[in-house]
Amino acid sequence: MIVFICGGSKSGKSSLAQNISKALSKDNPLYYVATMIPADAEDKEKIRLHIEDRADMGFETVECGTDIVTVLNTTDKNGTFMLDSVTALLTNEMYGDFENIGVDIKAAERCIKDIRQLAETVNNIVIVSDYIFSDAEIYDESTELFRKSLADIGNNIAIYADIVIEMNFGNATVHKGKDIYETIL
């Protein structure tokens, strides 16, 4: 089962993803694939709150900020994986070695390939991504490349996902797989 959840900041997407992951896991291992590499105190606080939120849910946290398929080296492929988030993964892949190479314009292609490989290998995966496309602001070239890259990744995942959900203000809109979604929760 492949579930894709996107939404704005603090929309409830991680909480929903946790609940779906837990429901899908049954007696199999439950992995939280944490992609954020904290850059400041705000990031560290966000991570702390996410850890606190899932404390009693049975997740084993696997930190993997880049090369997402490497989680397969230390996990049971029969488990349920929650990848949180595509946004942080792309950030790490695109800007991780910024001092040496600048913006990695191949990062989105790599993320698309690696996320698909992971999704096709594991029993269940719930993939979380931010939705950052609704404003009319025009940004600098690097930011626009990031937004386009994140959209490309999300569109690609939505094609092969069994369930696609958009979160807004704590409300889930199921765009694909509503009948399956209703049997899970």
Side-chain angles (χ1 to χ4, degrees):
M1 176 72 57
I2 301 169
V3 180
F4 179 54
I5 302 172
C6 67
S9 178
K10 301 187 185 326
S11 63
K13 59 190 178 295
S14 291
S15 293
L16 178 62
Q18 289 171 180
N19 291 335
I20 291 172
S21 297
K22 185 76 174 156
L24 290 173
S25 71
K26 304 196 185 325
D27 293 326
N28 293 316
L30 185 58
Y31 301 105
Y32 186 102
V33 182
T35 60
M36 180 179 272
I37 298 171
D40 57 22
E42 183 180 346
D43 287 350
K44 289 177 183 175
E45 178 63 9
K46 184 175 184 177
I47 290 169
R48 187 191 69 73
L49 292 172
H50 275 243
I51 291 169
E52 183 180 291
D53 191 42
R54 66 178 187 269
D56 297 325
M57 296 186 83
F59 282 95
E60 177 184 331
T61 300
V62 180
E63 294 186 18
C64 189
T66 60
D67 302 316
I68 202 69
V69 293
T70 62
V71 302
L72 297 170
N73 299 334
T74 58
T75 57
D76 181 349
K77 294 162 193 63
N78 294 313
T80 294
F81 292 70
M82 180 181 156
L83 191 160
D84 195 0
S85 76
V86 172
T87 313
L89 177 64
L90 177 62
T91 300
N92 301 335
E93 293 281 356
M94 187 175 268
Y95 302 108
D97 198 14
F98 186 76
E99 294 168 358
N100 295 322
I101 63 168
V103 176
D104 184 349
I105 61 171
K106 299 282 187 183
E109 291 174 33
R110 211 169 38 256
C111 288
I112 287 169
K113 181 180 84 55
D114 289 353
I115 292 168
R116 181 147 194 172
Q117 181 181 344
L118 179 62
E120 291 176 345
T121 304
V122 302
N123 193 32
N124 298 303
I125 188 165
V126 179
I127 303 166
V128 178
S129 184
D130 290 296
Y131 185 90
I132 59 169
F133 317 108
S134 61
D135 61 7
E137 186 74 28
I138 296 177
Y139 296 97
D140 63 83
E141 185 177 338
S142 175
T143 302
E144 286 300 331
L145 175 63
F146 181 84
R147 287 165 39 106
K148 181 187 180 314
S149 296
L150 187 61
D152 288 347
I153 295 167
N155 289 337
N156 187 277
I157 295 168
I159 290 168
Y160 63 81
D162 300 296
I163 301 171
V164 176
I165 303 167
E166 180 182 357
M167 290 297 295
N168 288 299
F169 305 106
N171 298 304
T173 301
V174 182
H175 293 285
K176 181 179 179 183
K178 187 173 185 173
D179 53 333
I180 303 168
Y181 173 76
E182 290 173 349
T183 65
I184 295 171
L185 290 181

